[in-house]
């Protein structure tokens, strides 16, 4: 089972907080309400598992922000404890027929196939889950820093020593977060 996602907020090149979404939103809302938020620096919030920038509306009271942006899990029918999320998948008719011929239907068959694929190459899965989020973070926060392109190449080549050397002179918070995200992307980190 994957851990709950964590988020990291940056104000300019300064890391403000890393933690679960509700903690990050609470911290940011407190900064905004207290006037400590520096309007001259861009506020970016990253999903650490995907590396994507997340956009949250901090308007309203803290409770309104949390209810809107980080609602508590609902209870009721379905499988909320498992974190089941319904999304659309487009397949050809022959694929649907094959999936539906398996016990417990198409969804269960897809989950089994994904779990088997993840177990088939755990080291490759670990590297993949570290590489893509790191690269997305580097693109946004490190794109204009010296050696960023080479650092991205080293990341995809699995060259940990070169990656660490290339980011060593970057601003502390950006370097530390890039190293944190890339943990697991390199064989020497295993």
């Amino acid at each position: 089972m994957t851990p709950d996602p964590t988020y990291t907020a940056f104000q300019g090149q300064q890391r403000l907080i890393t933690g679960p979404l509700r903690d990050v939103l609470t911290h940011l809302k407190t900064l905004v309400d207290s006037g400590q938020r520096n309007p001259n620096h861009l506020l970016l919030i990253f999903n650490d598992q995907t590396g994507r920038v997340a956009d949250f509306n901090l308007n309203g009271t803290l409770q309104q922000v949390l209810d809107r942006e980080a609602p508590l899990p609902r209870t009721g029918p379905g499988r909320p404890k498992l974190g089941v999320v319904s999304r659309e998948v487009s397949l050809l008719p022959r694929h649907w027929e094959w999936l539906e011929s398996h016990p417990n239907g198409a969804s269960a068959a897809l989950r089994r196939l994904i779990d088997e694929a993840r177990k088939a190459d755990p080291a490759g899965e670990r590297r993949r889950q570290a590489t893509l989020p790191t690269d997305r973070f580097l693109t946004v926060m490190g794109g204009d820093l010296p050696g960023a392109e080479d650092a991205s190449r080293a990341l995809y080549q699995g060259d940990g020593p070169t990656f660490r050397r290339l980011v060593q002179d970057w601003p502390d918070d950006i370097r530390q977060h890039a190293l944190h995200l890339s943990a697991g992307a390199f064989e020497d980190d295993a």
Side-chain angles (χ1 to χ4, degrees):
M1 223 168 154
T2 57
D4 289 337
T6 58
Y7 293 80
T8 299
F10 276 84
Q11 181 171 264
Q13 295 181 340
Q14 178 189 9
R15 185 182 69 82
L16 300 176
I17 184 172
T18 295
L21 180 57
R22 293 180 75 82
D23 293 353
V24 170
L25 292 173
T26 299
H27 181 79
L28 295 176
K29 182 63 177 154
T30 302
L31 275 180
V32 169
D33 289 350
S34 68
Q36 294 177 13
R37 157 95 172 84
N38 186 340
N40 296 323
H41 293 286
L42 187 60
L43 179 65
L44 293 173
I45 305 165
F46 293 89
N47 177 317
D48 294 333
Q49 281 61 46
T50 67
R52 287 191 165 99
V53 174
D55 188 23
F56 298 105
N57 179 351
L58 298 176
N59 292 322
T61 66
L62 174 59
Q63 193 57 53
Q64 289 170 330
V65 170
L66 294 175
D67 289 346
R68 178 179 56 244
E69 303 292 350
L72 293 171
R74 69 174 181 84
T75 58
R79 303 179 129 203
K81 287 184 183 176
L82 294 178
V84 173
V85 177
S86 182
R87 294 197 182 151
E88 182 177 324
V89 176
S90 299
L91 300 172
L92 294 172
R94 68 177 181 269
H95 299 135
W96 282 115
E97 289 170 13
W98 185 86
L99 284 170
E100 290 170 351
S101 71
H102 286 76
N104 302 319
S107 292
L110 283 171
R111 287 192 295 270
R112 275 193 309 277
L113 288 170
I114 292 167
D115 288 342
E116 288 171 15
R118 292 178 73 184
K119 289 176 187 173
D121 182 14
E125 181 67 14
R126 177 184 45 79
R127 284 190 302 274
R128 185 189 65 75
Q129 287 188 4
T131 301
L132 190 55
T134 305
D135 185 52
R136 287 177 177 149
F137 174 76
L138 292 178
T139 299
V140 175
M141 293 300 291
D144 293 333
L145 295 173
E149 218 172 286
D150 292 332
S152 184
R153 279 191 202 96
L155 175 68
Y156 278 100
Q157 291 168 352
D159 185 350
T162 300
F163 179 81
R164 288 185 281 278
R165 180 180 52 76
L166 289 165
V167 303
Q168 75 183 358
D169 294 328
W170 287 7
D172 287 343
D173 288 347
I174 294 174
R175 180 188 69 251
Q176 289 173 4
H177 197 61
L179 293 172
H180 166 73
L181 290 176
S182 68
F186 308 112
E187 288 297 324
D188 59 342
D189 292 341

